[in-house]
Amino acid sequence: MRIGVLALQGAVREHLRSIEKCGAEARAVKWPKELEGLDALILPGGESTTMRRLIDRYGLMEPLRGFAASGKPMFGTCAGLILLAGEVAGASEPHLSVMDVVVERNSFGRQIDSFEADLAIVGLDSPFNAVFIRAPHIVSAGPTAEVLCEHNGKIVMARSGQFLGCSFHPELTEDHRITEYFIGMVREAVKAPLPN
Amino acid sequence: MNQHGTDRVKRGMAEMQKGGVIMDVVNAEQARIAEAAGATAVMALERVPSDIRRDGGVARMADPRITEEVMKAVSIPVMAKARIGHIVEARVLEAMGVDYIDESEVLTPADEEFHLLKANYTVPFVCGCRNLGEAARRIGEGASMLRTKGEPGTGNIVEAVRHLRQVNAEVLKVVHMSEDELMTEARNLGASYEFLREVKNLGRLPVVNFAAGGIATPADAALMMELGADGVFVGSGIFKSQNPEKFARAIVEATTHYQDYRLIAELSKDLGIAMKGIEISTIAAGERMQERGW
């Protein structure tokens, strides 16, 4: 199993390491051709405006949408969730617009309001210590989405079909259970690919 | 319960900047240009380092009006500079909600003996360093991010290269050192023993280290990435160039694709004139900003 990490900017190294810790092969992706041969893709935390500009500049938008259309799992953390979202509150247009959620950027405030907290996540049998950094949250999740975690009344993690997204940064901790959860999704998808 | 201002939250913010370019801006319009070009953050200040160098006098925290306007203008993080040891400038910037404070030798130090105890703040700090000892002392005081000092406002990369190579060579030395040599190394560097043990165990610095101080071209930015910087700060290099928008975009792209030399050649074409540089030996020792702080 080979999982890519979009490596334009941000917490790339941490995701690559987490994937490898979970026993899968990891690959950094900067160019469209590097998407070939991947079973899944992670969009890391970082600055979504920076990543978007580089996605446009280097012709990655259509290949990324094509990757999504092929049914392969994609996981976005923080900025990555913003890139996946169907709609970004207050923005005139979304980015990849493949995941059935509406997100709001910087919705917990500025850096001084950033925090860590123990979360109860569906499917995990003990709390997950999560780091939120100028984090977005999911304002609403569509009918196909399953809410996996709410924190203080805000949705901070959801799955919609082959897409997984969270507001926080599992890659900044040594707890690899969320990467494992995603790898479980990849395993399902590899067994039962969508008909073309 | 939410815990604010923990090491993980403060250092994590810098981790999210990796592979990015942080640009000095002096007003809202420049901040918008920087954001549109793909900057991962902006540094709001009253004058860029080359103007501070030219004007002389005492350089202080920027007028809060400027910082506030920049914060309103962009959605990316906004950093701002406080003088070394100036507790009140730092507290004012924290109260204003800036996302990161640079305790910076570019401004005239307020205290020539003591740096800020940065661990006491909720807002994270970045500090300059020339070697592993300085890095250790700033992290010991609570800095969550480092950058090379370089020689700010010169458009001359030589000092940033020297400082990054020095830090990386010293990290490598510690990593490969036998355990029983660490205490002596700690004494020699002026670093704590615990810090060196952490570096040895991690195999790297415990915080992100950016390059700063003299980056003027896309190739300069790529050079610093090649040498192992986690990202770059560009001070005077963008808005003192002939075409700031083009320079800003090209530096962002060269930082991401720093080993793609054909691309860097393309990015470097027809950029117009880069900022005028200064040869370091022509700057009197007393006027070198990197000598500020210890």
Side-chain angles (χ1 to χ4, degrees):
Chain A
M1 185 186 302
R2 192 182 294 140
I3 300 176
V5 178
L6 188 66
L8 298 174
Q9 187 269 316
V12 176
R13 176 171 77 199
E14 290 80 0
H15 273 297
L16 293 171
R17 191 170 159 272
S18 186
I19 292 166
E20 285 168 356
K21 283 262 173 189
C22 294
E25 190 185 330
R27 181 203 284 171
V29 175
K30 286 188 180 183
W31 296 97
K33 62 177 187 299
E34 290 164 341
L35 290 168
E36 286 167 23
L38 296 180
D39 298 306
L41 184 70
I42 293 178
L43 300 115
E47 284 303 318
S48 60
T49 53
T50 303
M51 290 189 213
R52 173 60 192 272
R53 205 192 98 63
L54 292 165
I55 284 171
D56 288 343
R57 179 72 178 80
Y58 290 97
L60 274 157
M61 186 55 92
E62 285 319 308
L64 286 171
R65 285 187 174 141
F67 193 87
S70 73
K72 290 181 177 172
M74 296 171 88
F75 173 27
T77 60
C78 194
L81 166 65
I82 294 167
L83 293 178
L84 290 177
E87 197 181 314
V88 181
S92 52
E93 54 166 301
H95 304 293
L96 297 183
S97 193
V98 291
M99 183 173 176
D100 192 12
V101 293
V102 179
V103 301
E104 183 182 276
R105 290 182 65 204
N106 299 336
S107 57
F108 294 88
R110 303 195 71 97
Q111 172 59 20
I112 206 155
D113 308 303
S114 294
F115 60 94
E116 53 181 295
D118 288 333
L119 305 180
I121 295 174
V122 174
L124 299 188
D125 53 14
S126 61
F128 189 93
N129 180 247
V131 189
F132 291 78
I133 295 170
R134 290 171 44 94
H137 89 284
I138 297 172
V139 181
S140 63
T144 66
E146 180 192 0
V147 173
L148 296 174
C149 183
E150 281 189 35
H151 181 63
N152 296 344
K154 285 180 169 173
I155 303 172
V156 295
M157 184 171 178
R159 176 182 177 174
S160 174
Q162 86 221 52
F163 303 106
L164 180 67
C166 62
S167 304
F168 51 92
H169 295 282
E171 72 275 17
L172 288 183
T173 65
E174 287 300 312
D175 188 339
H176 301 290
R177 287 179 292 169
I178 292 178
T179 307
E180 275 166 12
Y181 178 93
F182 180 61
I183 286 176
M185 287 171 57
V186 183
R187 209 169 284 126
E188 284 168 32
V190 171
K191 269 190 215 148
L194 288 184
N196 285 321
Chain B
M1 215 185 69
N2 294 351
Q3 286 182 284
H4 299 270
T6 62
D7 275 352
R8 205 178 243 176
V9 166
K10 295 200 282 191
R11 292 177 179 187
M13 157 79 200
E15 300 287 351
M16 297 308 137
Q17 294 283 312
K18 284 202 301 266
V21 181
I22 300 169
M23 301 182 191
D24 277 2
V25 299
V26 299
N27 56 43
E29 189 202 341
Q30 290 187 355
R32 280 189 282 265
I33 290 171
E35 183 176 48
T40 49
V42 289
M43 177 78 70
L45 65 178
E46 206 160 297
R47 290 175 292 168
V48 294
S50 64
D51 287 342
I52 290 174
R53 193 175 282 288
R54 188 198 59 206
D55 298 348
V58 174
R60 311 178 180 92
M61 172 183 83
D63 181 334
R65 175 79 64 200
I66 294 173
T67 311
E68 210 172 79
E69 280 175 8
V70 168
M71 286 166 70
K72 279 187 195 142
V74 295
S75 65
I76 55 177
V78 176
M79 303 185 172
K81 288 184 194 291
R83 281 180 269 179
I84 291 174
H86 204 307
I87 299 165
V88 173
E89 283 188 353
R91 286 294 182 194
V92 165
L93 292 172
E94 181 180 53
M96 288 173 66
V98 305
D99 295 298
Y100 236 90
I101 297 176
D102 185 355
E103 186 186 20
S104 178
E105 68 281 1
V106 166
L107 305 183
T108 312
D111 192 322
E112 292 186 334
E113 195 169 2
F114 302 109
H115 284 255
L116 295 167
L117 183 55
K118 294 162 280 285
N120 279 355
Y121 295 71
T122 306
V123 67
F125 282 81
V126 54
C127 286
C129 64
R130 290 170 298 179
N131 52 53
L132 189 58
E134 273 190 317
R137 294 188 289 275
R138 298 297 84 77
I139 292 171
E141 293 154 355
S144 310
M145 178 183 190
L146 295 170
R147 53 171 176 73
T148 59
K149 285 182 166 176
E151 190 51 47
T154 60
N156 189 340
I157 197 71
V158 69
E159 296 301 305
V161 167
R162 189 192 320 280
H163 300 161
L164 190 58
R165 280 195 183 272
Q166 179 76 25
V167 169
N168 288 345
E170 287 173 342
V171 166
L172 218 62
K173 186 178 171 203
V174 165
V175 170
H176 293 289
M177 203 169 245
S178 156
E179 287 270 357
D180 58 11
E181 295 171 343
L182 281 183
M183 186 59 85
T184 301
E185 187 69 0
R187 183 196 61 187
N188 292 343
L189 292 175
S192 81
Y193 176 70
E194 291 69 25
F195 174 81
L196 293 192
R197 282 192 53 159
E198 189 183 7
V199 169
K200 184 167 173 59
N201 291 337
L202 281 174
R204 57 175 170 81
L205 288 169
V207 304
V208 163
N209 188 21
F210 270 44
I215 295 162
T217 66
D220 285 349
L223 169 63
M224 298 316 291
M225 295 300 288
E226 179 74 41
L227 292 176
D230 289 314
V232 299
F233 283 88
V234 186
S236 321
I238 288 168
F239 290 98
K240 285 292 167 186
S241 71
Q242 200 178 29
N243 191 335
E245 286 182 70
K246 268 175 105 169
F247 260 85
R249 285 198 301 264
I251 289 177
V252 167
E253 291 171 33
T255 302
T256 299
H257 296 293
Y258 64 93
Q259 286 179 319
D260 200 318
Y261 309 115
R262 275 191 202 162
L263 174 69
I264 295 170
E266 288 305 310
L267 293 171
S268 306
K269 281 180 188 166
D270 307 317
L271 281 180
I273 300 165
M275 72 174 284
K276 190 176 181 306
I278 303 173
E279 159 59 34
I280 304 296
S281 62
T282 65
I283 306 170
E287 285 169 23
R288 289 182 198 162
M289 292 173 175
Q290 60 178 284
E291 304 296 336
R292 296 166 167 176
W294 56 282

